[in-house]
Amino acid sequence: MRIQSSSAPSTRLIYSYGLAIVFVSLALLTSLALQHSFGNPFWFFFSIAVILSTWFGRSGAGWFAVVCSGLAVIYFFTPPLRVFAMKPSDIPYFLTFIGCEIGVTQLISWRRQAEDSLRRAHDELEVRVAERTADLRNAHNAILQQIGEQKRIEENLQVTRTELARVARITTIGELTASIAHEVNQPLAAVAANADACVAWLSREHPDLVEARAAAERAAQGATRAAEVIARIRSLITRATPEKSIVQMNQMIEQTVALAAAQASTNNVTIGLELSPDLPHVLGDSIQLQQVVVNLVMNGIDAIICTTDRPRKVVIRSSPQSSGQILVSVQDSGIGINPEVMKRLFEPFFTTRSNGMGMGLSISRSIIEAHGGRLWAESDGSSGSVFYFTLPSEFAV
Ligand code: ADP
């Protein structure tokens, strides 16, 4: 029977006061009906009418019920009956009745107010919880969106890295032109010489078929070797997607050294190898890993070029680690890396060389990290430097 606070004020008023009239009338009728059996039961019934009116109609209706009850008591229950008058001796008794009714209405309206404010606080709390929940949901959605965005950025970055790696490979190939020419020219010269020899053996008055055959076979071997060199160079510059396979690191290092040999000898640099025979295999992209070693060796040769006061040497070492990884190092006796350069060494586009791109080391690091390894450098700043990288062995992957 709660009066909705949203209803119009006039309707609410009529409802509250009407309710008070109904309760007081019921109390009056019940009191009159029970008057002869129980004396004066109006104390009880009018109090109930006041309580109900205050509770359901608020304090205005409560006060109205007190007034109506007072009038009813004067008219029906205090002599002289059926007139609005009373004997002076009944006044204290009547005032006590009214006082009690007022006390009851005050008590109930205070209780009602307390309950109303509790309900309001509860409603406000619910609204606030709903707002907070909506905020949290929005934040959650924003985070999901950010994660999606981040993923897209990472995918784009990966595409860019692959593209940059290809560009850097091409650059490295540019630096290795002399080496390529040397590598391809040798077998081609051998092919030409052996073909000539073959023709000569066959052109004799009594052709020597055994010698001619041997020369033809040597020519074929030379051609195969030239094709292999070309295939190796091609695999370095194609845009192949990285493919993981078993890589024999020592063998790959030896191939890399063959590629850099001409560049090294032109600059009077020797390349030494100290490769552990017990090196476990690695699971990785052999072309990318070869690119890392090529970069490190070429950087080492570059660092030695302008030195004159020390042995001109690059040493590549490999060894197994107790952690199940392999460690490869490329040490050079070049100019070393001063602390300023060391801080920025792996930054993309950082270079101290007039014709450098500054991509070699940053790409090398991302390749090694993509294989689950680590790449770092050490140098005392003046007498050469050592670049290290680790890779998980085939069994540790
Ligand atoms: P780039 O070779 O195109 O300059 P890198 O990323 O390979 O790009 O190298 C960045 C810079 O790091 C080089 O310019 C050079 O200053 C320094 N650096 C790299 N390797 C060596 C090294 N072995 N000795 C001394 N400095 C080096």
Side-chain angles (χ1 to χ4, degrees):
M1 209 194 315
R2 186 175 293 161
I3 301 165
Q4 294 300 311
S5 55
S6 53
S7 50
S10 55
T11 321
R12 225 183 315 147
L13 245 121
I14 292 169
Y15 187 84
S16 318
Y17 287 88
L19 213 58
I21 290 170
V22 170
F23 286 138
V24 172
S25 305
L26 283 175
L28 175 60
L29 290 176
T30 321
S31 300
L32 284 174
L34 298 176
Q35 191 176 28
H36 296 297
S37 329
F38 296 100
N40 265 343
F42 63 83
W43 276 95
F44 180 65
F45 292 112
F46 284 121
S47 296
I48 291 181
V50 167
I51 289 172
L52 292 176
S53 306
T54 312
W55 186 259
F56 293 113
R58 303 290 196 284
S59 79
W63 280 102
F64 183 61
V66 171
V67 171
C68 293
S69 304
L71 291 174
V73 166
I74 294 173
Y75 194 78
F76 290 102
F77 298 100
T78 54
L81 298 177
R82 308 290 189 263
V83 283
F84 285 107
M86 77 174 78
K87 288 191 286 183
S89 60
D90 282 335
I91 290 176
Y93 175 71
F94 176 73
L95 288 179
T96 311
F97 167 74
I98 292 296
C100 286
E101 298 298 285
I102 291 173
V104 164
T105 191
Q106 286 299 83
L107 210 66
I108 296 299
S109 90
W110 172 77
R111 178 74 192 78
R112 185 69 217 233
Q113 271 170 13
E115 182 165 288
D116 281 352
S117 51
L118 251 175
R119 201 178 42 249
R120 266 199 305 278
H122 177 260
D123 290 349
E124 275 171 20
L125 200 68
E126 267 188 358
V127 169
R128 218 167 291 158
V129 167
E131 279 171 7
R132 289 280 176 285
T133 312
D135 285 352
L136 277 177
R137 201 170 296 128
N138 289 345
H140 177 71
N141 288 341
I143 287 174
L144 283 184
Q145 234 173 11
Q146 263 180 10
I147 290 174
E149 187 68 16
Q150 187 85 16
K151 235 175 160 180
R152 266 196 302 282
I153 291 173
E154 269 167 23
E155 279 165 11
N156 287 345
L157 199 66
Q158 193 50 46
V159 171
T160 314
R161 268 194 194 144
T162 311
E163 189 56 23
L164 276 174
R166 194 174 71 87
V167 170
R169 280 204 293 273
I170 291 168
T171 310
T172 308
I173 288 303
E175 289 171 8
L176 291 174
T177 309
S179 169
I180 296 163
H182 178 79
E183 289 269 329
V184 180
N185 274 345
Q186 261 194 345
L188 284 183
V191 169
N194 282 304
D196 282 348
C198 180
V199 171
W201 288 117
L202 291 174
S203 313
R204 281 179 159 203
E205 196 178 339
H206 301 291
D208 188 334
L209 292 181
V210 176
E211 287 294 348
R213 184 190 178 89
E217 274 170 2
R218 282 196 300 275
Q221 277 167 9
T224 309
R225 177 155 168 63
E228 274 172 4
V229 172
I230 303 273
R232 204 160 64 208
I233 304 303
R234 268 188 59 191
S235 69
L236 269 171
I237 57 171
T238 45
R239 189 203 288 257
T241 32
E243 269 177 29
K244 290 207 169 174
S245 58
I246 303 279
V247 179
Q248 297 185 8
M249 207 60 190
N250 286 346
Q251 200 180 335
M252 194 269 277
I253 291 171
E254 281 161 359
Q255 285 175 1
T256 311
V257 171
L259 279 173
Q263 179 83 351
S265 77
T266 310
N267 292 293
N268 215 11
V269 174
T270 55
I271 301 181
L273 294 179
E274 292 177 19
L275 307 178
S276 162
D278 309 320
L279 203 65
H281 297 165
V282 165
L283 195 61
D285 185 314
S286 61
I287 294 175
Q288 288 191 349
L289 293 177
Q290 186 167 43
Q291 183 195 341
V292 173
V293 182
V294 167
N295 277 336
L296 298 182
V297 172
M298 297 305 286
N299 278 350
I301 296 173
D302 278 346
I304 296 173
I305 285 176
C306 51
T307 61
T308 50
D309 57 341
R310 56 192 89 175
R312 301 166 73 82
K313 195 162 185 190
V314 172
V315 182
I316 309 175
R317 297 183 178 90
S318 69
S319 57
Q321 300 289 285
S322 54
S323 58
Q325 301 210 318
I326 66 156
L327 176 72
V328 175
S329 66
V330 179
Q331 180 172 20
D332 66 72
S333 57
I335 51 171
I337 304 168
N338 69 42
E340 284 311 302
V341 172
M342 186 63 101
K343 267 192 260 166
R344 307 190 52 198
L345 205 58
F346 294 95
E347 278 180 23
F349 302 112
F350 170 75
T351 179
T352 56
R353 294 174 188 143
S354 55
N355 58 348
M357 253 181 88
M359 287 309 300
L361 287 178
S362 75
I363 290 170
S364 297
R365 179 173 263 185
S366 57
I367 289 174
I368 293 296
E369 286 177 356
H371 281 76
R374 215 159 65 80
L375 169 65
W376 73 100
E378 286 174 8
S379 172
D380 66 4
S382 58
S383 52
S385 50
V386 193
F387 282 77
Y388 298 91
F389 67 82
T390 57
L391 286 172
S393 71
E394 176 198 359
F395 307 106
V397 177

